[in-house]
Amino acid sequence: MNQTTHKSYALPIAMMFLLFFIISFVTGLQNPMGVIVKDQFSLNNYQSQLGNMANFLAYFFMGIPSGKLLRRIGYKKTALFALVMGFTGVLVMYLGGKTASFWIYLGGAFISGFTMCTLNTVVNPMLTVLGSKERANQRLNFGGACNSFGATIVPILGGVLMGNAAQKTISDADPLLFVAMGIFALVFVVLLFVQIPEPHIESKERLKIKDKYSALSFRHFRLGVIAIFIYVGTEVGIGSIANLYLTNSVEHGGLGIDPSLAGSIVGIYYLLMLVGRLLGGLLGGVVTSRQMLASVSGLGLLFVLIGIYAPDYMVKMPVVTSNLHFELADVHIGVAFLMLCGICISVMWPCTFNLATEGLGKYIAEGSGFFMTMVVGGGVLPMVQGAIADSFGYLDSYWLIVACMAYLLYYALIGSHNVNDNIPVE
C-alpha cells in the first residue's frame, strides 16, 4: 500500500521540485534584467531596481490573501491559479521586450510576483502532504536545493545571453522567459490530471471565527516580521547591486566587467547559498536557530565591512565566459567578500521563521501569511540601495546592508525571545 502511494505521488512531487526551481528562477530574472533595462532604457540605479520592486510588491498585496485562498479552495486549485498567472506574467514580460516598453515589462514583473507569492504558500505544505510524513523533511530539503540551483544559474545564463552586446535589450533574455513559460505549462498540465490530498481546506463557518489574540500579539513575532523584511531585502540587494557595480563603466563608478563574467561572479553568491543550506541542514540538529542566526549575521556584518574597506587587491574566482568556458578571473577582493555573504544569507530565512513563530501555536498559519507579505522587502530595500548608489557610490550603498545585518544580529540575541508566553495558543 505504501509503495502504491509513493508511486502515485512521484509525479506531483517532481512537479513541486520544478516549482521550487522556477520560483527562484523567475525571481532571480530581475537580477540580470536590472542590468538590461538600465542599458536599454537609460535608467539610473534606483530605476533599474523597479523590476525587483514590482515583483516583490506583489507579495505585500498577496501574502495574506494567498493563505486564505489556500484554506478556501485547497492546494490543487490554488496551484493551478498561480501557474496560469505565472505563465501570463512571464508572457507579459516577453511582450515588454517585443514592444520595447519598460512599463509593460514592469507589469509582467508585478504579475509574476503574484505568482511567486502564491506558489511559495503552496509548495512547502504540499510537499509535506505528498508522500510519507517520515520523508517530508527530506523532500523539503531537496526542494530547497532546487530553489538554490535556480537562483544560481539565472545570473550566469543571463550574463551569457547578454554577452558583449553593445546595446542590451529585454529580448536578449527571451530563452530564459521561454524556459519559465514551458515549466509553468508543464506543471499545470500534470497537476490538472492528478489527485492531491486536501487536508487543510476549512469551512466558511470556521473561517469566520474571531480570536481575541493574533500572531501580532507577540512581540518577538512583530520584530521577526521586520527581520524577514530586512533579510529578503539584504539577500536581493547584495546580488543585484553587485551586478550593477560589476557591469557599470569605470567612469560611472563601476568596474566595467563583461556581463557574462559578472553574471558568473554573482552566480557564486547564490551557489554559496546552496552550500550554506546544505551545511545548515547538517548542523541544524546540534546548533539552535538563535545560535545560527547570531553567528551568520555577525559573520555577514564582518564580510560586508571588509567588502567596503578592502584594499585594491585582486583574487582569482572561477567564472563562466560568454563562450561557456570555465576560467579563473581576477576579481576585486572586496567583491569576493560580498559574494561570501551568500553562505551567511543562506540559513537566515529558516532561522528567523523558527524564532519568530516559536510559541505561537495555533497562530503559526496566520503568521506565515504575514511573513509572505514582508517578502516585499526584496523590492523595497534594493531600490533604496540603488538610490544610495546613485548619490554616494556602489560601495557606500552597502552601508544599508551593514545596518540590516546589525538588526538581524540584534534580533537573534535579544529581539527573538518570547515575552508574551501568557497568551493561550492551544
Side-chain angles (χ1 to χ4, degrees):
M1 181 69 182
N2 288 337
Q3 288 182 344
T4 303
T5 303
H6 176 71
K7 288 181 180 179
S8 65
Y9 289 141
L11 189 56
I13 286 173
M15 294 302 101
M16 291 305 103
F17 291 153
L18 268 179
L19 289 183
F20 265 103
F21 170 85
I22 202 64
I23 285 171
S24 61
F25 188 87
V26 173
T27 302
L29 270 176
Q30 307 312 320
N31 190 318
M33 284 294 193
V35 177
I36 291 173
V37 298
K38 185 177 189 292
D39 189 36
Q40 182 175 359
F41 301 108
S42 301
L43 307 177
N44 58 30
N45 293 303
Y46 170 83
Q47 293 166 332
S48 73
Q49 295 305 301
L50 286 173
N52 257 329
M53 181 61 187
N55 190 271
F56 283 101
L57 183 62
Y59 281 81
F60 181 79
F61 294 105
M62 199 63 188
I64 295 176
S66 62
K68 292 181 177 179
L69 186 68
L70 180 65
R71 289 158 60 195
R72 283 183 181 275
I73 66 175
Y75 294 123
K76 181 173 178 176
K77 290 181 180 179
T78 303
L80 292 175
F81 165 75
L83 290 166
V84 171
M85 292 291 290
F87 187 94
T88 303
V90 177
L91 178 61
V92 172
M93 289 170 64
Y94 169 77
L95 294 176
K98 292 305 171 188
T99 58
S101 171
F102 181 55
W103 297 107
I104 292 178
Y105 157 73
L106 285 182
F110 185 70
I111 297 171
S112 296
F114 270 92
T115 302
M116 299 311 109
C117 178
T118 307
L119 287 179
N120 264 310
T121 307
V122 170
V123 291
N124 287 284
M126 190 181 283
L127 267 186
T128 303
V129 169
L130 296 172
S132 65
K133 292 182 179 179
E134 292 76 15
R135 295 191 175 183
N137 189 53
Q138 184 182 45
R139 294 192 295 273
L140 286 170
N141 281 330
F142 191 78
C146 293
N147 186 268
S148 294
F149 179 66
T152 300
I153 67 170
V154 72
I156 297 174
L157 293 177
V160 169
L161 290 172
M162 282 186 279
N164 295 310
Q167 180 62 43
K168 307 172 189 68
T169 66
I170 295 174
S171 295
D172 291 333
D174 280 354
L176 300 181
L177 302 180
F178 293 151
V179 168
M181 286 189 283
I183 292 177
F184 282 133
L186 172 64
V187 178
F188 179 88
V189 171
V190 172
L191 291 186
L192 188 63
F193 293 103
V194 298
Q195 295 295 320
I196 302 293
E198 299 285 3
H200 295 137
I201 295 180
E202 297 185 15
S203 65
K204 292 182 179 179
E205 290 74 19
R206 173 142 182 101
L207 289 170
K208 290 179 181 178
I209 296 176
K210 300 294 182 181
D211 200 318
K212 178 181 178 182
Y213 298 102
S214 71
L216 292 175
S217 300
F218 296 82
R219 190 200 71 164
H220 73 291
F221 177 77
R222 295 193 299 271
L223 295 176
V225 165
I226 297 172
I228 280 294
F229 177 91
I230 286 174
Y231 149 72
V232 181
T234 299
E235 176 187 324
V236 176
I238 289 175
S240 294
I241 301 302
N243 211 351
L244 292 171
Y245 176 44
L246 292 168
T247 56
N248 211 13
S249 62
V250 175
E251 55 267 28
H252 290 98
L255 297 179
I257 294 178
D258 174 78
S260 62
L261 297 181
S264 293
I265 293 169
V266 176
I268 291 173
Y269 168 70
Y270 291 102
L271 178 62
L272 289 173
M273 287 182 61
L274 171 58
V275 173
R277 282 168 181 163
L278 294 174
L279 289 175
L282 293 174
L283 296 174
V286 294
V287 180
T288 67
S289 295
R290 182 170 288 108
Q291 292 169 335
M292 191 174 292
L293 182 59
S295 299
V296 296
S297 55
L299 186 61
L301 182 62
L302 177 62
F303 283 167
V304 178
L305 286 172
I306 294 175
I308 294 172
Y309 285 112
D312 190 12
Y313 180 78
M314 308 301 282
V315 295
K316 296 287 187 181
M317 289 185 72
V319 297
V320 180
T321 67
S322 57
N323 297 322
L324 295 179
H325 292 149
F326 286 93
E327 65 178 41
L328 291 175
D330 289 323
V331 178
H332 192 280
I333 190 172
V335 173
F337 271 97
L338 291 176
M339 297 305 96
L340 281 174
C341 288
I343 204 107
C344 304
I345 291 290
S346 61
V347 295
M348 286 183 174
W349 175 281
C351 289
T352 305
F353 184 88
N354 289 340
L355 290 172
T357 58
E358 185 177 5
L360 259 61
K362 64 181 179 180
Y363 302 110
I364 289 180
E366 178 192 10
S368 297
F370 282 111
F371 263 50
M372 294 312 302
T373 300
M374 287 299 102
V375 172
V376 69
V380 175
L381 292 184
M383 200 162 65
V384 173
Q385 191 179 352
I388 296 173
D390 284 328
S391 300
F392 302 102
Y394 288 106
L395 286 179
D396 283 338
S397 75
Y398 279 89
W399 281 106
L400 178 64
I401 304 299
V402 170
C404 291
M405 290 288 190
Y407 178 86
L408 292 168
L409 180 61
Y410 155 78
Y411 183 71
L413 297 176
I414 300 172
S416 59
H417 294 278
N418 184 4
V419 297
N420 303 105
D421 51 8
N422 59 314
I423 297 176
V425 296
E426 298 298 330

